[in-house]
Each structure stands twice: as structure tokens, then as C-alpha cells.
Amino acid sequence: MIQKQGQVVAVNGNMVSVRFDGDVAMNEVAYIHSNEKRLKSEVIRIRGDEAQVQVYEMTKGLRIGDSVEFSGEMLSVELGPGLLGQIYDGLQNPLPEIAEKKGFFLESGVYLQALSKTQKWAFTPAAKVGDALKRGDSLGSVPERHFLHQIMLPFDFYGSWKLVEIAAAGDYAIDDTIAVVEDSRGNRKNVSMTFSWPVKRAIDCYAERLKPAQPMVTKTRIIDTFFPVAKGGTYCIPGPFGAGKTVLQQVTSRYADVDIVIIAACGERAGEVVETLKEFPEITDPRTGRSLIERTIIICNTSSMPVASREASVYTAVTLAEYYRQMGLDVLLLADSTSRWAQAMREMSGRLEEIPGEEAFPAYLESVIAAFYERAGIVRLADGRKGSVTIGGTVSPAGGNFEEPVTQATLKVVGAFHGLSRERSDARKYPAIHPLDSWSKYPGIMPADVVRYAHAFLERSAEVGAMMKVVGEEGTSLDDYVLYLKGEFLDAVYLQQNSFDPVDASVSPGRQKAMFRIALEILGAALQLKDKDDARSWFYEVRQAFLDLNGSAEGSDLYASSLAKIKAALAERKPEYDAEARRALARLE
Amino acid sequence: MNKVYSHIESITGNVISVRAENIAYGELAEVSSRYGSSLAETIRLDGDMVFLQVFAGGRGVSTGDEVRFLGHPMQVSFSDNLLGRIFNGAGAPRDGGPSLADNLITIGGPSVNPYKRIIPREMIRTGIPMIDVFNTLVKSQKLPIFSVSGEPYNQLLARIAMQAEVDLIVLGGMGLKYDDYLFFRDTLEEGGSLAKTIMFVHTAADPVVECLQVPDLALAVAEKFALRGKNVLVLLTDMTNFADALKEISITQEQVPSNRGYPGDLYSQLAARYEKAVDFADAGSITTLAVTTMPGDDVTHPIPDNTGYITEGQFYLHGGRIEPFGSLSRLKQMVNGKTRDDHRAIMDGMVKLFAAYRDTLEKKSMGFQMTAWDRKLLKYGELFESSMMDLSVNIPLEKALDEGWRILAACFEPRETGLRSDLIQKFWPARSAGSEAARA
Ligand SMILES: Nc1ncnc2c1ncn2[C@@H]1O[C@H](COP(=O)(O)OP(=O)(O)OP(=O)(O)O)[C@@H](O)[C@H]1O
Ligand SMILES: [Mg+2]
């Protein structure tokens, strides 16, 4: 495509109007030349011979008449080996390299290669000359960290191709040609180990999209047991400030049972990302025995970085996730916070003087949010393997009130809702996921009917608790009071989890089942308790033993003694079980 | 060299427009009217129309007034000559001293590369138990004091500034009452800190546009000093006035408000300032303490709400005391593990008991019967309030921890505190009513 030129005719914040000749495409990338810098921008509206672009940088210093170069390409990311372990900004600029070149500050107009051009990768061919190929088919692989990184026919090679040449096994840089393919008309194209893909288009080279049915284990009890997330599913974590959204995502990013985690720090604090990027290299991933950073990609566009690239950052992140999904891997994308992304859209919509919707968000907010979460999914690839992208986004509702446009639009499309409550975080009940408001549509690691059985205790306990606020303890019957204590007990020993305790921080599904069963033995039992004081002190005693159990490694002395304590305390009160309780317990054998 | 334009095309609120060419976005101009001259900043370019926001406001500006472009964006002088000086929101002296023009730096610069930040690791001691023990302030933290008008937030700010061991204090005053301005000046002077202080003060009587410049001026200067290895404490009071100035200006510019009249970019605007707090890998640091007065004492109001989403916790100043509930230092766990081995236990244990005391108070007010345990809690709560929460208490962290043990021992038996037994053995005061009762 011939490069188009234009000229700046108006500047308003980070929105710039450009007059051009010829043709310009929507969402095309344009560079504004100003003060010896090249500022990246994206076309977001075209009217006659004027295009409006959102600039991914501060626009201070721009002048009327500055020249603009249209690239002909949509905003894209570079795909290829070497993405894992990287720390990028929202436009895929590697932040460590920028730091090395430019020092402390993120000056505008500095764009660096996302992938090393010189690093060599050990390529092993898999496809054979003569093979018929479609986009996304594997040509061979290179080892990248813990994985075999598939070198695929680029996703924009539409139609059928025939392999005419393939490189022998050996070391290659990403730009080296490793294959030549030919289409039905005899046109040949070279293929290297890298290609680019526009971030706002979902990667769609798969045979079939499947229903998310297999749990994505987070090792957080309240999630895996009560509000599970499926591989290829979506979930959101709304909550007021300080309720624990970021900590919950940090914990998940460490322990989630997936191959790759992509962290999109979108418009939040830089300090929080620093914790991740300094700590992850030091933490060993128990799945692989290698450092956690090796399975992680961080997309970091924090709150004081330019707003337009904040908008782009979630798309950059999801595109990288889809790329690794194409290799048959399970990828988890954690976006913190999607509200900041929505606000970036709102700022731009305001500058475009679009008719505003609720709280000045653009009218298309809902459809854009829906389209983003739709990029999650579990797919069957052409060769039969499965890969998944799971998306979890935090939401930061204004005033902590979930009745606001971003939360509401998100709730319409996600499969699980982990609502954090101020009340619980104030009481230091972490993770502060509200057990009565939250929900999930996915199957989890426990039989659904048993989970419902346990959940009913939480509901009834809350009812009694509310009633007791009015009539006092005196006015509550012993039976009701025990019900109340049972709910509080389940909350304290199972829903709450200490993220900073080495044992309690991550609990395997097997251990969750064992603990859940013990909790059910207590919940389901009719117990001999004399009066309220007796009931309270008995539950406190069992609770203490259970908490000790939670904090002790399987096989340790404390584990055994705490377990014995619980069993003994239970036996002392001659527990009896009704049919429903017996059925629930039997289901967990 | 700089061309003078003598015809103003439009005047709307604080914004004027002139026809001019080759003007840079963000460039400053000087507008001279019969009431004196004022700086103005280019906030929009549209063809040959240049829109300028006049610092002194549009009032009294005539279409025939002169506009002279200066060829540079808003700048401030940076040198050691700033120390001890006081400026207004346009960067002009307000202390009668000479104006400074050497070594000009641009304000509102780019953000720090997150990769160049380091994990905060140093405590800032304030001598205030509610901070040092319960919500430790950390070097490079950004923390607002949430309060309401009438509360002694400026006194608290001044006191922390006087006691914190920092190299330099930069005060940004926004919409400050003149009395408060004098209060800060006099307090810092009496405390001998004025010589290491730089003040940028916009008072309630000054033009609203100047209010917006204050944080950027203060932070630009602070950043340069931090790069030179200084540990700088930036005080911003009151950020609610800053946010209200943003609101006023965006509404006069007919921007669509998002929430209760505030512009949709309020979050980004506040974050751009707060995120300047930083600890540089091999240079100094910026710690930011701000005041956010909450309209109607409502923490869900857009200003405190957006602030809470940006900062690393908040101190909630209520009834002249820092409340243990609602206050949070999100960075405290980075430092309180290496102060004294009872620090975390005292912090958690005492707050839990204080929560129980509050419940008992509620029960009492509803006329429920008080048990023996309730009476212990009542005694505890009163001691906690007078020896920990009262802002007149001024003791180092270690003394405050000792005091905590003393209070616990005066009210409870060791096992009632829920504290670990190894700590109790080590720290429980020997001769006290509580421990004697325990032995008996
Ligand atoms: N699981 C947890 N265990 C212990 N403390 C926690 C936990 N989760 C959160 N906290 C405490 O709450 C503070 C705030 O948590 P976090 O930063 O995750 O909140 P957030 O919901 O992301 O807030 P914001 O919307 O402002 O970003 C933490 O600094 C920590 O002190
Ligand atoms: Mg957060």
C-alpha cells in the first residue's frame, strides 16, 4: 500500500484532526511528526477529508500543519517466540529495554521492537514439503521456556497453501525464512517465525468453539468450590476501592492451574505491577519447577501512562492470549481494571462529542465490553488439540455501587461474578467475595448439589444473624443460634483464606474436597449442645482447630493433631445426620 | 521575536481565542489587560484559532487586549534558590522575594517507567501511634487524609511534615484559606523547617485556573530534587479544591460531565499527580500526603472515591482522631515486619479488640445487659482512645508498642487478647493487675 500523508488541522487533548488526500482506513495507525518525534496514533473517525486520530502519547508541543504519515496497518502486535517473561506497555513496547535506553521516564515517541531480532531459536520442522496447509497450521516448533512454541502459518494467510520449502532443524532468528508456501495460483510467500496481527480482531483459526466445562482451578477455596471459573470462561471481580481485587488477582496469577498467565495492569497503580515484576522471577512455579515469570507476560499501562494506549492495552493482552491458545495451551488473562479501560473509551467519546449514555459512557459501551469477553473461549484446533483463553476482569464501580454501567454491562456477559463487599473487607474477611451475592454458571470441582446444600447454611445463618440484630441473642432460639454459628463457622474456616500463609494461600482440589467434607460433617450434624454459651464455645474450639489445620502441611504433626482434635470434639457431641446430610456426605466419598 | 496579537476573537469563561499561526499545543502566552497581565495556556488548536485558558480568568479581558506568545510551555525555575521560598499558582513569588528565572523546567512531565521503580521498603516515622503502629507510612507512598471541613487536617499535615525525617518539604496549597496559609508558614518557621520547604500556594481568593497548576508545579520541583537524591515529602491540601477547579473549568467548556458534574477524566487527572510518588532505584524519593475533604462526609462522593482508587490507602480523620476503621496504609506490610517482632501482632490484636469495644458500645446504647467481658472492653476502649488515638500523643513506635502492652495488661488476661504465647512471654508487662489476676 502507498503511504498516505496528511496534516494536523486541530488539536484537542489527545485527539487530533488530520486532513488527508486519498484513502484512509478506520483504526489505521498514523504517525504524527512533531519536534523530531514520531507520535503513534489511531484513526477513530473519518469525515470527508478529515480523520480524527487518538494519540497514544501526550500531545504537548504539536502544531497545526505538522505532517502525518498513515501506515496502512491497523494497530497490531508482533507474535513469535520470546513473548513469555516480557514486560510490555499497552502498545507492546518492552519496558526494560526502554528503561535501558531512556532512563527513568517514559518519553513520548519511543517505540522499540517487541521481540529480539538477534536471539536464535532451535527450530525443529514438523510439516513436510508438499503438505497442504491452512492459516494457523504448525510448520514446526522451537522450545520457549517450558513450552514447545509452535511456529504457525500466519493467521492472515487465508485460503489453501502448499508447503514448497521448509528449513532444516537448526538455529534461526525470528525474521529468518523458515518456510516457503505456495497458493493455488502458484504465488509464493516466505514465512518466518514472526508475524503481526491486529489487536482488535479476534484470532479465529480453530475448528470449533466448545462449551467451557472443565474447571480452571485457582486454588482459592471460595472460588473453586462455590463460584468456580471454567477454562475458556469469563468472570469479573467488582468491588469498591481497597476491597482486595488486586490482591485476589495477584494470588490467582501465582497459583492458577493454567499454562500461561497474562497480566494486564490497565490504568491502575504502577507500584502494584512493580511487586509482580520484581517478585515473580524469585518465585518457583510448582507446576514446572521454573520461575513464575517464565509463564507470565505483563502488559503494563498504569494510570499515569497515556490514556489511549490504556484503551489498547487490554486488546494487546487478549491477542497474545489467543496466540498461545493456538498452540493448544490454557491461558488466563487477568485485567485490572476494566473500568479504567471503559473510562479511556469515555474520555475519547467525550472528545469526539458523541451523544453520551449513562454516566457519560458511550452508547456502545455494552457491546464493546461484550465483544472483549467474547474473545475468551475454549476451542478445538484443526489438529484436534484444545486450547483456551479464560478472562477475569476487575471492575472498579464508582462509589462501590454495582448499579453502574460498567458493572452492569459486564455482568450481562460473564459466566461468574465474584462481588467483593466493603463490609467483608472492613471485617478483614479475605478474600472479600460476598458469598450470598456472587454466582457462577460453571461446573466446579465439587458436586453442585452438595455445594448448594452447604450454601444453604450460609443463607440461613445470615437470616438468623439479621434477626438477632433486632431481637438480640436472648430472643433467638438455640436451634436458630446453632444455625447461625454453623454459617459463621463455614465462613471462617472455608470461605476465608489467608493469602499470606504459605500453606493456606493455595489449596489443591484434593485438599479442598477433604476439608469440605470435614466442614460438612460439622454443618450437617445435629449436635448435643446444652445452651448458647456451650454452643458458642464448642464452635470456637472447633474453629480454632480447623484454622490450625488450614495452616499446616499435609503429613505434618499439627495437621494430624488438629484433625484429631476436630474429630474428637465432634464425637463428644454425638452427631446425628439426617437423610439429606448423609446423601451430601456420601457424594464426597 | 514573539508576535503580539491584538484582537481576541472570543471570551468564554476563562477561555479566550485568537487567530494565530504556528503555536504549539500547551504553549504559554501573556495576556495584558488594563487590570494587569496574566499567563494563559494553549488548550486547543483548531485551524488558525488558538484557545487559551487565562490564569487570572476571563473577567475584565477585552477583545482589544494584547496576547503575546512566549514560545514555551508552563515552566518553573529549579535550583536551591527555591528553598524557603513561597510562590503562587502561576509560579510568581508571593513572599516579596525576587522572581526566579534560572534553569527553567517544564511541568507535568512524562511518567516514570514502572520498570525503574523499586519496591517501597522504608518506614517514615511520625510519632503518631495511629500511623506508626497501625497504618505505617512508607517512603514513596501516596496517601490522602480523608476528612471534612472543620477537622484539624492541616494541623495533622503540618505535624507529620515537621516530624518526618525528610530532606525537603514541598507544600502545594489549593484554595487554601489565608489563615491556613499563614498557619503553615508560621508552623514551619517556628519548627525551623522553613529553610527546607518550598511552597506553592493558591489561596481561596486567587483565580481558579491557577489552582490547577499547583500540584504540577510542586511535583515537578519535587521530582527534580528526588532525582538529585533527596527524599522529598509533598503535601497537597486540599485536593478537593483541585478537583472542584477541574469541574468548574470543564463545565464552562461545555464538556459532558460523568458523575455529579465532575469530568470523565477526573480519575486520570488525579492519578497523573498522585502517581508522581516514587522511590527511584538509585536516587531519592517522593512521598505524597494529601488532604481530601469529603463533601457531606460521604466517602462515595466522586472525589474521595476516585482518590481511594488511586492512592495507597487513606487516613480517615474524624472527630479530631485518626480512626482505626476506614484508615488503611496499603504499604504497611512492606515495613512492619522488620520493625519489632510484636509490631504486627499488636497492630492486629489491638484493632480486633477495639472492634469488639465498638460492638459493646452499640449494645450498650441499645440497652442490652453488660457482661463482665463487656466491662473489660469498655475500659480497654477508653484507654485505647486516650493513649493511642489522641493526636496529642507523640511517642516513637517502640514506646507506642510498649504502651499497647501496658493497656492490654491493664484490661485483660493474656489469653483473652488472642496474642501468640511466645510474644506474651516476651512482652507482657510483669507487674500489672491483669497478669496478677491471671496467676491467681
Ligand atoms: N487476601 C487478603 N489478605 C490480606 N489482606 C488483604 C487481602 N486482600 C486485600 N488485603 C488488604 O487490602 C488492601 C487493598 O487490597 P487491594 O489492593 O487488592 O484492593 P483493590 O480492591 O484492588 O483496591 P483498588 O480498587 O483501590 O485497586 C491490601 O493492601 C491489603 O492490605
Ligand atoms: Mg486494585
Side-chain angles (χ1 to χ4, degrees):
Chain A
M1 204 190 271
I2 322 147
Q3 295 221 323
K4 296 274 158 6
Q5 299 283 327
Q7 278 190 334
V8 170
V9 294
V11 183
N12 179 11
N14 66 340
M15 192 188 77
V16 169
S17 303
V18 180
R19 184 157 306 142
F20 62 91
D21 313 310
D23 296 321
V24 158
M26 187 68 170
N27 299 109
E28 176 172 343
V29 169
Y31 292 92
I32 302 173
H33 293 258
S34 178
N35 306 309
E36 282 145 44
K37 283 183 178 165
R38 250 169 112 238
L39 305 187
K40 200 170 186 173
S41 69
E42 177 187 357
V43 175
I44 52 169
R45 181 147 84 190
I46 303 168
R47 273 187 182 166
D49 60 353
E50 244 180 68
Q52 261 137 14
V53 301
Q54 62 169 336
V55 186
Y56 294 123
E57 306 280 1
M58 288 200 293
T59 47
K60 267 196 185 155
L62 290 195
R63 288 167 202 267
I64 302 301
D66 281 344
S67 74
V68 179
E69 150 210 350
F70 291 91
S71 70
E73 305 283 338
M74 296 216 284
L75 182 71
S76 301
V77 285
E78 266 191 74
L79 303 172
L83 292 166
L84 293 178
Q86 293 270 16
I87 299 142
Y88 291 123
D89 75 1
L91 304 175
Q92 212 195 6
N93 289 296
L95 291 172
E97 277 87 337
I98 290 185
E100 203 175 292
K101 282 217 162 65
K102 295 285 164 181
F104 285 121
F105 295 98
L106 292 169
E107 282 167 35
S108 53
V110 180
Y111 310 112
L112 300 181
Q113 293 293 343
L115 296 172
S116 163
K117 298 281 178 199
T118 51
Q119 190 178 350
K120 300 274 187 186
W121 299 90
F123 176 69
T124 307
K128 288 178 201 64
V129 170
D131 281 359
L133 293 170
K134 284 203 156 47
R135 63 200 190 104
D137 285 350
S138 177
L139 301 166
S141 62
V142 301
E144 180 189 12
R145 312 276 191 177
H146 181 64
F147 303 100
L148 270 190
H149 186 119
Q150 301 296 324
I151 304 301
M152 295 171 275
L153 192 64
F155 304 152
D156 56 354
F157 277 39
Y158 292 92
S160 315
W161 301 81
K162 197 174 78 189
L163 187 66
V164 289
E165 263 176 55
I166 182 112
D171 291 347
Y172 300 91
I174 53 168
D175 283 333
D176 294 343
T177 298
I178 52 107
V180 179
V181 294
E182 189 182 85
D183 70 8
S184 54
R185 271 174 269 131
N187 300 317
R188 292 193 169 192
K189 272 195 185 181
N190 290 349
V191 179
S192 71
M193 294 199 280
T194 181
F195 60 93
S196 62
W197 183 261
V199 295
K200 289 188 181 167
R201 298 201 52 180
I203 294 172
D204 53 355
C205 329
Y206 47 79
E208 187 189 6
R209 240 180 106 159
L210 307 169
K211 194 175 151 145
Q214 193 196 346
M216 186 212 56
V217 172
T218 63
K219 307 213 179 86
T220 294
R221 284 186 294 258
I222 184 168
I223 297 178
D224 295 340
T225 301
F226 285 92
F227 309 109
V229 178
K231 282 188 178 150
T234 53
Y235 69 107
C236 69
I237 310 174
F241 66 78
K245 301 180 289 296
T246 304
V247 172
L248 186 55
Q249 282 208 335
Q250 283 170 342
V251 171
T252 310
S253 69
R254 286 181 187 205
Y255 303 118
D257 196 6
V258 292
D259 297 310
I260 288 167
V261 176
I262 298 182
I263 298 172
C266 171
E268 293 284 303
R269 303 168 188 83
E272 294 168 344
V273 192
V274 177
E275 279 177 51
T276 304
L277 60 91
K278 304 266 152 143
E279 282 170 7
F280 270 33
E282 313 294 323
I283 303 172
T284 314
D285 177 7
R287 285 163 50 95
T288 61
R290 306 169 69 129
S291 123
L292 209 47
I293 196 77
E294 297 190 18
R295 73 155 192 181
T296 311
I297 305 172
I298 300 173
I299 307 294
C300 166
N301 213 100
T302 53
S303 59
S304 63
M305 289 162 75
V307 167
S309 44
R310 185 200 296 172
E311 194 257 344
S313 67
V314 298
Y315 294 106
T316 297
V318 75
T319 309
L320 298 185
E322 289 171 336
Y323 176 61
Y324 279 98
R325 176 200 68 195
Q326 291 302 116
M327 299 175 203
L329 299 173
D330 291 320
V331 189
L332 170 63
L333 165 61
L334 296 168
D336 186 14
S337 154
T338 61
S339 293
R340 307 302 164 217
W341 162 57
Q343 287 177 349
M345 281 191 271
R346 174 167 76 184
E347 285 182 33
M348 199 39 62
S349 163
R351 296 234 164 75
L352 286 170
E353 295 176 354
E354 294 172 339
I355 295 171
E358 215 183 322
E359 289 183 21
F361 283 106
Y364 44 81
L365 177 76
E366 274 198 16
S367 59
V368 173
I369 288 178
F372 171 68
Y373 280 103
E374 265 302 299
R375 291 179 72 168
I378 178 161
V379 300
R380 191 167 54 76
L381 301 168
D383 63 3
R385 283 178 308 166
K386 285 181 195 165
S388 68
V389 172
T390 309
I391 301 181
T394 68
V395 187
S396 315
N401 179 1
F402 293 174
E403 303 296 318
E404 59 87 47
V406 183
T407 314
Q408 289 304 314
T410 307
L411 283 178
K412 277 191 194 166
V413 293
V414 292
F417 161 55
H418 301 160
L420 303 192
S421 93
R422 163 73 68 224
E423 198 190 342
R424 287 181 72 82
S425 69
D426 275 352
R428 304 279 186 267
K429 294 181 179 172
Y430 295 117
I433 297 174
H434 200 288
L436 300 183
D437 298 344
S438 302
W439 47 258
S440 166
K441 296 176 184 163
Y442 300 119
I445 60 170
M446 310 274 181
D449 51 339
V450 182
V451 173
R452 261 197 307 279
Y453 175 72
H455 196 261
F457 283 94
L458 297 169
E459 291 161 32
R460 281 180 289 166
S461 169
E463 280 164 24
V464 177
M467 191 183 71
M468 233 160 37
K469 284 225 168 77
V470 184
V471 300
E473 224 177 271
E474 301 92 299
T476 309
S477 73
L478 178 60
D479 282 353
D480 275 356
Y481 190 69
V482 170
L483 208 50
Y484 167 74
L485 289 174
K486 280 182 175 173
E488 293 284 296
F489 170 78
L490 183 63
D491 187 350
V493 306
Y494 202 84
L495 303 187
Q496 294 170 44
Q497 191 170 342
N498 186 347
S499 329
F500 301 113
D501 181 282
V503 175
D504 203 28
S506 70
V507 185
S508 69
R511 184 164 171 155
Q512 286 190 42
K513 276 183 196 142
M515 296 296 127
F516 195 49
R517 193 170 194 288
I518 303 170
L520 275 186
E521 277 179 41
I522 292 159
L523 292 186
L527 297 162
Q528 294 190 351
L529 298 163
K530 285 196 286 294
D531 52 27
K532 286 178 203 151
D533 281 339
D534 184 38
R536 188 174 44 225
S537 63
W538 186 82
F539 270 99
Y540 278 12
E541 183 191 327
V542 180
R543 181 181 72 182
Q544 191 57 48
F546 213 120
L547 291 176
D548 289 342
L549 187 64
N550 282 341
S552 53
E554 265 160 290
S556 69
D557 289 348
L558 186 60
Y559 187 92
S561 65
S562 310
L563 197 57
K565 232 184 248 173
I566 298 170
K567 298 272 179 195
L570 195 58
E572 230 170 65
R573 300 304 172 128
K574 311 226 163 18
E576 280 173 26
Y577 297 93
D578 63 13
E580 204 184 355
R582 278 202 301 275
R583 205 163 37 239
L585 284 169
R587 296 274 279 137
L588 288 180
E589 284 307 340
Chain B
M1 172 193 125
N2 292 316
K3 221 175 141 190
V4 176
Y5 297 85
S6 56
H7 182 68
I8 294 175
E9 301 283 332
S10 72
I11 306 169
T12 325
N14 303 314
V15 178
I16 63 168
S17 66
V18 293
R19 286 187 193 280
E21 279 178 2
N22 200 27
I23 303 303
Y25 187 68
E27 186 169 333
L28 276 197
E30 196 169 61
V31 181
S32 313
S33 73
R34 49 192 260 232
Y35 301 103
S37 73
S38 162
L39 291 177
E41 186 178 24
T42 305
I43 55 160
R44 213 178 112 194
L45 297 171
D46 192 354
D48 63 353
M49 279 292 231
V50 178
F51 295 82
L52 294 146
Q53 189 159 60
V54 185
F55 285 16
R59 202 162 288 155
V61 176
S62 139
T63 52
D65 285 346
E66 282 187 353
V67 178
R68 192 168 62 89
F69 285 92
L70 303 178
H72 61 75
M74 181 70 179
Q75 292 173 324
V76 63
S77 160
F78 166 71
S79 71
D80 285 341
N81 295 337
L82 288 171
L83 293 168
R85 296 292 312 272
I86 306 172
F87 305 90
N88 68 14
R94 81 179 308 145
D95 56 1
S99 54
L100 300 176
D102 51 326
N103 192 24
L104 292 167
I105 57 167
T106 301
I107 69 166
S111 65
V112 172
N113 186 334
Y115 193 75
K116 288 295 260 183
R117 289 174 179 262
I118 55 178
I119 298 185
R121 65 220 143 129
E122 254 176 77
M123 165 181 183
I124 295 182
R125 287 170 174 265
T126 66
I128 300 169
M130 290 314 290
I131 297 177
D132 292 357
V133 178
F134 297 97
N135 281 301
T136 321
L137 182 64
V138 179
K139 199 172 93 183
S140 87
Q141 191 161 18
K142 41 185 182 286
L143 206 82
I145 298 167
F146 281 0
S147 198
V148 289
S149 22
E151 293 280 348
Y153 44 81
N154 282 331
Q155 281 74 358
L156 178 60
L157 211 55
R159 192 174 144 200
I160 297 173
M162 304 288 303
Q163 285 185 209
E165 288 162 354
V166 292
D167 301 322
L168 209 80
I169 299 164
V170 182
L171 174 84
M174 288 148 284
L176 215 53
K177 285 205 285 280
Y178 209 81
D179 295 356
D180 289 332
Y181 156 55
L182 295 178
F183 161 77
F184 274 111
R185 201 193 60 189
D186 297 346
T187 314
L188 290 165
E189 183 145 37
E190 281 159 29
S193 295
L194 205 54
K196 63 164 186 181
T197 304
I198 304 161
M199 294 167 77
F200 294 93
V201 173
H202 164 269
T203 69
D206 297 334
V208 63
V209 182
E210 289 186 11
C211 181
L212 292 184
Q213 309 294 331
V214 167
D216 290 344
L217 287 166
L219 290 161
V221 164
E223 193 166 81
K224 285 286 176 194
F225 277 110
L227 286 170
R228 278 214 206 154
K230 301 275 188 238
N231 289 310
V232 188
L233 177 64
V234 175
L235 309 173
L236 299 172
T237 174
D238 168 350
M239 286 299 277
T240 299
N241 292 330
F242 171 79
D244 281 335
L246 280 175
K247 168 166 116 173
E248 183 179 328
I249 284 164
S250 76
I251 285 178
T252 44
Q253 287 173 33
E254 297 177 356
Q255 286 176 17
V256 184
S258 70
N259 206 335
R260 291 202 237 177
Y262 292 89
D265 63 357
L266 179 62
Y267 174 85
S268 300
Q269 294 282 3
L270 291 171
R273 276 80 191 184
Y274 280 115
E275 282 279 313
K276 288 273 176 198
V278 66
D279 198 346
F280 287 115
D282 22 47
S285 66
I286 299 178
T287 308
T288 300
L289 275 180
V291 166
T292 299
T293 48
M294 299 186 285
D297 202 4
D298 175 12
V299 71
T300 69
H301 181 280
I303 300 172
D305 187 50
N306 278 287
T307 304
Y309 276 120
I310 293 163
T311 53
E312 290 152 340
Q314 65 279 333
F315 294 145
Y316 181 35
L317 181 69
H318 188 78
R321 298 190 291 221
I322 298 175
E323 271 288 315
F325 308 113
S327 297
L328 174 71
S329 161
R330 297 201 195 184
L331 302 187
K332 64 182 175 211
Q333 63 270 17
M334 313 238 169
V335 296
N336 63 12
K338 40 191 184 192
T339 46
R340 207 170 90 174
D341 41 355
D342 58 334
H343 187 164
R344 283 185 179 168
I346 284 284
M347 170 183 91
D348 286 334
M350 290 195 83
V351 168
K352 265 189 198 142
L353 287 165
F354 191 73
Y357 156 71
R358 285 273 164 93
D359 287 346
T360 295
L361 271 191
E362 198 179 328
K363 257 167 66 181
K364 194 177 168 200
S365 71
M366 287 168 70
F368 288 120
Q369 230 170 21
M370 292 289 96
T371 64
W373 174 243
D374 287 327
R375 278 190 293 277
K376 284 187 176 189
L377 285 173
L378 289 174
K379 178 175 174 196
Y380 168 77
E382 278 156 29
L383 276 175
F384 187 87
E385 284 174 352
S386 63
S387 1
M388 288 282 179
M389 285 173 72
D390 198 301
L391 276 185
S392 68
V393 179
N394 185 355
I395 44 176
L397 168 73
E398 292 71 18
K399 283 251 163 57
L401 291 173
D402 293 343
E403 181 66 13
W405 287 105
R406 201 188 57 76
I407 297 171
L408 290 172
C411 305
F412 304 110
E413 291 173 31
R415 64 176 176 82
E416 289 173 332
T417 62
L419 294 171
R420 280 202 334 257
S421 10
D422 56 327
L423 290 174
I424 287 182
Q425 238 157 38
K426 189 163 167 194
F427 291 102
W428 196 265
R431 285 180 309 278
S432 70
S435 59
E436 267 148 37
R439 254 173 247 128

